[in-house]
Amino acid sequence: MKVAIVGAGIAGLSAAYDLLAAGHEVVLYEANGQTGGLAAGFRDENWEWPLEKFYHHLFATDKAIIGLVEEIGMRDKLFFPRPTTSMIYEGKIVPFDSPWRWITFPGFNLLDVARFGLVSAYLRFTKPWRKLEQVTADSWLRKWYGRKIYNLTWRPMLIGKFGPYYDQVNMAWMWARLHVRTPKLGYFEGGFQAFVDRLTAVVTQKGGQLHLNTPVENIEQITNNGLQITANGKTETFDACLVTTSPGLLTKMAPTLPAGYLGELLNLKSMGAVVLTLALKRPLLPDHLTYWLNVPANSPDKSQNDIPFLALVEHTNYIDKSHYGGDHIIYCGDYVTPDHPHLQMEPDALAEQFINVLHRFNPDFKTDWVRKHWLFREQYAQPVPFLNHSQHIPDLQTPLPGLYFASMSQVYPWDRGTNFAVEIGRRAAQLILSQ
């Protein structure tokens, strides 16, 4: 077969890898100037390693991507440090990422510790997700953890992730996060860009044709079940096509899809992402240990919260600063609705807004600590799973013969991430081969 893949992110590259291994011809179309999608990186002239545009790590349970890493000969480049995750309690940064730290957490009494541990263990060691998707995370967590624990821990995280949708997201999504995640976090020597580069090289060495800066404009069916794809004004015919972009982009590329399937795509909601990356001359977090700091949020209207982002990530408390020319790397990350002003705001103005609150994390912080900053934004970054979401996921095989769709909106109940991008990309490839 001759197969087109739209999008050379992790899902598209993984699918291409399997299709090429099966002896088929593969052409990848990528709208951007580099492969990797949301896992792609950038490099400052002072750095030895590139850095992800959007913070990334693996979990020790991420079997799909670890398996692919082994297949392409990179297992020796993957390592698993044990960084610290913290939260802010009464103005102080408090570690909150292990049973011992739950026991010693100053906001909990002994009854809170027991309740937190028992409910978390239930979610960790059972698999009731089909029942859990019938209730919201807001109502389930409030009921079983109790209002106090919920308001201290889970509610701010849900608000940070989903904003106005925080009380509509189903509990299966939260279960999936707690069920598989591990305290050890994986990273690559050379960053995720090293993995992207290796996978891209393997795909091209196997004969994959890669067209960068080539957005697909139209996909339509022709006779004999073939598909005609137009990109950059040029048209080519394929036996099959896999689209790995957002649902909204697919509706624009393939407007002749049946109305029912188009409706499923258009009904899917998602959040965008905004990440400001800072190279600092000094460490920001006073304890020099915290990698991930969950930021408190009280209002789903994020403009009403004291801090205008959901997480502060001090990357160099996880990966040594020597790889970044001695810079201390900070991510200020947030998820916002696709129409949020932060996705269109002038970059320097948004950077100033974020930087101006950093003294709340360290009273000694001064703006001259910032050597350089970068802003990255993406409209499609986090699917929003409502009640009974499994009943509303579009099939990987679309009603248009030969056209397939694999996106982060379909990895449910699992959360977005490189592991499930690999899994769904390879699953889509096997579906194409089976047809």
Side-chain angles (χ1 to χ4, degrees), residues 276 278 351-359 365 367 370 373:
L276 179 71
L278 304 162
E352 182 180 2
Q353 185 176 325
F354 281 19
I355 291 169
N356 282 345
V357 301
L358 295 184
H359 69 277
F365 172 78
T367 54
V370 181
H373 69 263

Side-chain angles (χ1 to χ4, degrees), residues 130-255:
R130 291 195 178 275
K131 287 185 178 180
L132 292 178
E133 76 164 357
Q134 299 170 27
V135 295
T136 65
D138 174 73
S139 62
W140 195 96
L141 294 167
R142 189 188 304 274
K143 175 180 178 180
W144 293 103
Y145 280 100
R147 184 178 298 274
K148 173 187 174 183
I149 294 174
Y150 174 67
N151 287 336
L152 266 177
T153 58
W154 303 122
R155 185 173 183 269
M157 294 183 196
L158 285 169
I159 288 174
K161 194 84 165 178
F162 295 108
Y165 303 117
Y166 88 96
D167 57 356
Q168 301 172 52
V169 172
N170 78 54
M171 183 58 200
W173 175 87
M174 178 62 82
W175 164 85
R177 291 171 65 87
L178 298 174
H179 187 68
V180 299
R181 295 193 167 188
T182 60
K184 285 188 174 181
L185 304 179
Y187 201 73
F188 294 95
E189 292 181 18
F192 273 72
Q193 189 64 51
F195 167 67
V196 170
D197 290 344
R198 176 72 68 88
L199 184 55
T200 302
V202 170
V203 165
T204 54
Q205 287 163 10
K206 288 180 177 290
Q209 302 171 47
L210 176 62
H211 300 302
L212 298 176
N213 298 307
T214 310
V216 168
E217 297 144 13
N218 189 60
I219 302 170
E220 61 180 325
Q221 186 180 4
I222 55 175
T223 56
N224 301 322
N225 290 337
L227 293 170
Q228 192 169 270
I229 294 180
T230 304
N232 273 358
K234 297 180 181 179
T235 299
E236 197 168 347
T237 301
F238 295 88
D239 298 302
C241 173
L242 170 63
V243 176
T244 64
T245 64
S246 69
L249 279 177
L250 176 58
T251 64
K252 295 175 182 177
M253 293 176 198

